[in-house]
């Protein structure tokens, strides 16, 4: 599959994507106890804040794992294996893949990205909090999994072009 020459590789644009991890809904408050100092309470706050952020590598594994976290926050089913299997069939892991020869392309709407989503489907199933760009790996995976969940129950139930 060919990639548009004008689009930058994702590694040049960003090295790590971060996403806040949802907690239990209970706010943590550091209150000094007997003998505790303000400095030790501040250290507790800093440690809690640092633990609430997850860094994802800018590669296929990281994109899938970040998508799974976004999907979990939005109630979208799917597993790492189901996503990976479909990505390898659709784009061989190339986030800039574009299909310029199938019936969608002939109609003027080529399939794009890791899971080969057409623009109208991406727009309809885009998940807020992800980039509004079908070439963005996390946005592409998450929108495609949202679509597959609506149509097939889960990306795990997809074993051919969808």
């Amino acid at each position: 599959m060919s990639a548009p020459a004008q689009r930058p590789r994702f590694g040049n644009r960003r090295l790590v994507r971060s996403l806040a991890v949802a907690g239990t809904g209970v706010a943590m408050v550091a209150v000094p106890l007997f003998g505790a100092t303000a400095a030790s309470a501040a250290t507790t706050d800093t440690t809690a804040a640092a633990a609430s952020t997850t860094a994802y590598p800018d590669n296929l594994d990281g994109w899938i794992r970040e998508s799974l976290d976004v999907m979990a926050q939005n109630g979208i089913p799917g597993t790492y294996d189901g996503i990976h299997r479909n990505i390898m069939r659709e784009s061989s892991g190339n986030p800039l893949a574009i299909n310029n020869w199938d019936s969608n392309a002939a109609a003027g709407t080529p399939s794009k990205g890791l899971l080969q989503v057409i623009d109208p489907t991406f727009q309809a199933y885009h998940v807020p909090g992800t980039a509004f760009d079908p070439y963005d790996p996390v946005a592409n995976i998450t929108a495609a999994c949202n679509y597959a969940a609506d149509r097939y129950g889960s990306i795990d139930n997809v074993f051919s072009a969808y």
Side-chain angles (χ1 to χ4, degrees), residues 1 59-64 79-95 97 101 113-116 140-141 144-145 155 158-162:
M1 293 185 190
N59 60 28
L60 184 58
D61 179 68
W63 301 328
I64 294 171
T79 63
Y80 186 99
D81 290 339
I83 294 169
H84 189 270
R85 171 177 34 91
N86 281 285
I87 286 173
M88 297 313 292
R89 184 190 64 253
E90 294 291 337
S91 69
S92 299
N94 178 2
W101 56 85
L114 289 171
L115 283 167
Q116 294 293 284
N140 186 279
I141 293 168
C145 289
I155 192 72
V158 178
F159 292 92
S160 63
Y162 62 108

Side-chain angles (χ1 to χ4, degrees), residues 68 75 95:
L68 285 167

Side-chain angles (χ1 to χ4, degrees), residues 19-119:
L19 177 70
V21 177
T24 61
V26 177
M28 293 187 63
V29 178
V31 178
L33 299 175
F34 295 108
T37 65
S40 65
T43 302
T44 304
D45 278 343
T46 304
T47 304
S52 68
T53 301
T54 302
Y56 301 94
D58 191 23
N59 60 28
L60 184 58
D61 179 68
W63 301 328
I64 294 171
R65 292 187 187 287
E66 184 173 353
S67 295
L68 285 167
D69 284 348
V70 173
M71 291 164 56
Q73 292 172 8
N74 288 279
I76 302 168
T79 63
Y80 186 99
D81 290 339
I83 294 169
H84 189 270
R85 171 177 34 91
N86 281 285
I87 286 173
M88 297 313 292
R89 184 190 64 253
E90 294 291 337
S91 69
S92 299
N94 178 2
L96 300 178
I98 185 167
N99 183 329
N100 285 316
W101 56 85
D102 70 0
S103 60
N104 288 320
T109 311
S111 305
K112 301 173 181 176
L114 289 171
L115 283 167
Q116 294 293 284
V117 180
I118 60 173
D119 285 339

Side-chain angles (χ1 to χ4, degrees), residues 19 70 73-74 76 124-132 142 146:
L19 177 70
V70 173
Q73 292 172 8
N74 288 279
I76 302 168
Y125 289 92
H126 172 259
V127 176
T130 63
F132 201 78
T142 309
N146 194 21

